[in-house]
Amino acid sequence: LPETFLSFLEANGLDPSIYIPRYVRLKPGVGEIEYEINCKLEKVNWLPGFYSIPPDVQIARSMAYQQGKMYGIDAASGAAVSALGISPGDHVLDLCAAPGAKLCMMLDLLGEKGTATGVDVARHRLAACRTMLRKYGLGQRSRLFLADGTTFSVPPITFKEWTSRRPYKERKQEAKAKPEIIFYGQSSGVIGLKKKELGYDKVLVDAECTHDGSIKHIQKFEQWGWTTLERRVLDAERTDRNLTALQLNLLRNGFRLLKQGGTLVYSTCSLTLAQNEDVVDQFLDENSSAELQEIETAKDWPCTSGRTPKTVRFDPSTSATSGLFVAKIRKL
């Protein structure tokens, strides 16, 4: 790693000597697949459906992967989804959805009831998300929107209800202000809700961040160039001003779209205080209807408490996962 990044870690009190294995999640109902990938899967005891695999094993060419029996997702990211407490019948929003592994897990947890809406600002990443949904047979109860997560405002209503009940000219004008629909499953809307009942039961805001907790992400800069790392991760002005403002606005909008009594999870794979506790603390200070919740399942996780009570952190040096901060918030 370059000296500038090592200095960044040191300035934030982070240990650079960490090792992170790779994780996969098996689709519900999938049986024995070790022979298909030619390696032993180590069960993650604290997170159902997750397994670790050796970092040198190539799964992309295996039949199990090509047939959609498993997908790669870090165990810490799986914990953030698990913290939502998704139940069949919920209507779930993933406000920063691409490339789609967490959205796939949400849909696995929903089963045959409920819907999942994914939003992302990057077209090419959202296209990858659509490909994942199709590959794993999860498109029926999902929809994807190309939109800014800080301003996205489409509630979980039916596509028919949204587009077809007013004159064409009026609908055409309205469409210009609407986010672009990238994918819309046949059963991904909610029928029969009154306006006051509209809102998502669960919202995940896995916000854009510097990704300094993910060594896998940092290693990509070997191809992208270390000067790009300095601009995108180490630039203090971008991190302290622009990026944290974006994170706070994503959190605000996700909470606005949340139904009363619903649950929101805010997470980042940064290990810095500025992008995590500081953002959550500021949000809580300005929202009297937001209540930080204990993450009950975290008692079994290899995580530590965050600076803000009831928040948790996955530290790569002790959790054997990517770094991740998780906060669970209820709308009173």
Side-chain angles (χ1 to χ4, degrees):
L1 295 173
E3 287 299 322
T4 48
F5 185 63
L6 293 174
S7 298
F8 170 83
L9 295 178
E10 182 180 2
N12 285 278
L14 307 176
D15 184 357
S17 57
I18 57 178
Y19 171 74
I20 305 173
R22 293 162 64 206
Y23 293 93
V24 295
R25 174 177 167 81
L26 298 192
K27 286 278 294 174
V30 171
E32 176 66 47
I33 66 166
E34 288 183 343
Y35 71 95
E36 296 183 43
I37 59 176
N38 197 30
C39 81
K40 183 172 178 58
L41 294 174
E42 292 289 340
K43 188 175 182 179
V44 178
N45 293 323
W46 54 272
L47 195 61
F50 277 74
Y51 298 81
S52 64
I53 61 173
D56 59 324
V57 173
Q58 301 296 318
I59 63 172
R61 295 181 181 178
S62 70
M63 290 297 292
Y65 181 79
Q66 293 176 5
Q67 293 176 358
K69 295 180 180 179
M70 65 180 182
Y71 49 87
I73 176 174
D74 192 81
S77 296
V81 175
S82 177
L84 281 168
I86 293 173
S87 301
D90 281 342
H91 301 289
V92 187
L93 172 64
D94 187 350
L95 206 51
C96 306
K102 290 184 292 296
L103 190 64
C104 286
M105 181 177 172
M106 290 176 175
L107 286 156
D108 281 340
L109 295 173
L110 287 172
E112 297 301 315
K113 295 181 179 180
T115 64
T117 297
V119 177
D120 206 274
V121 73
R123 181 181 294 274
H124 68 286
R125 284 167 56 82
L126 206 59
C129 190
R130 175 179 58 194
T131 299
M132 277 198 75
L133 293 177
R134 288 172 170 167
K135 176 180 179 180
Y136 295 105
L138 297 169
Q140 184 74 5
R141 312 194 71 81
S142 57
R143 56 184 187 169
L144 299 176
F145 291 93
L146 180 66
D148 183 345
T150 65
T151 58
F152 178 76
S153 60
V154 180
I157 58 176
T158 62
F159 180 66
K160 181 178 180 181
E161 183 178 357
W162 179 41
T163 59
S164 303
R165 292 191 175 182
R166 281 180 284 180
Y168 172 77
K169 185 177 180 180
E170 184 177 340
R171 286 187 278 119
K172 184 177 180 181
Q173 291 175 341
E174 182 185 18
K176 293 180 180 180
K178 292 289 184 182
E180 181 179 348
I181 298 174
I182 297 297
F183 182 79
Y184 208 103
Q186 292 181 359
S187 303
S188 60
V190 181
I191 300 173
L193 288 182
K194 298 177 182 178
K195 186 174 181 179
K196 66 178 181 180
E197 298 173 317
L198 288 176
Y200 294 91
D201 299 289
K202 309 285 168 60
V203 174
L204 176 65
V205 180
D206 187 41
E208 170 64 20
C209 69
T210 51
H211 303 286
D212 52 89
S214 171
I215 295 301
K216 181 179 178 181
H217 185 89
I218 294 299
Q219 286 174 334
K220 294 178 182 178
F221 287 97
E222 287 186 328
Q223 287 77 43
W224 297 345
W226 293 117
T227 55
T228 306
L229 172 72
E230 295 177 16
R231 175 175 55 82
R232 294 178 60 177
V233 177
L234 308 180
D235 186 329
E237 181 176 353
R238 175 182 183 267
T239 302
D240 297 341
R241 185 181 305 172
N242 300 335
L243 188 55
T244 53
L246 170 63
Q247 291 161 343
L248 184 58
N249 285 331
L250 286 167
L251 179 51
R252 285 168 175 158
N253 196 43
F255 189 75
R256 182 181 66 85
L257 293 166
L258 187 65
K259 181 187 292 187
Q260 189 175 13
T263 300
L264 178 147
V265 164
Y266 173 81
S267 62
T268 84
C269 63
S270 171
L271 298 176
T272 67
L273 292 169
Q275 298 175 67
N276 296 310
E277 285 93 340
D278 288 352
V279 170
V280 169
D281 290 348
Q282 183 176 343
F283 172 76
L284 293 172
D285 285 343
E286 65 186 36
N287 285 278
S288 59
S289 61
E291 181 182 70
L292 203 58
Q293 297 275 292
E294 200 82 50
I295 304 174
E296 295 296 335
T297 51
K299 65 181 183 297
D300 299 319
W301 296 350
C303 61
T304 59
S305 297
R307 184 192 65 188
T308 301
K310 299 182 181 179
T311 65
V312 300
R313 284 176 166 270
F314 286 85
D315 180 349
S317 62
T318 56
S319 66
T321 68
S322 287
L324 200 79
F325 170 85
V326 186
K328 179 179 178 179
I329 300 170
R330 181 173 178 264
K331 192 170 192 175
L332 300 177

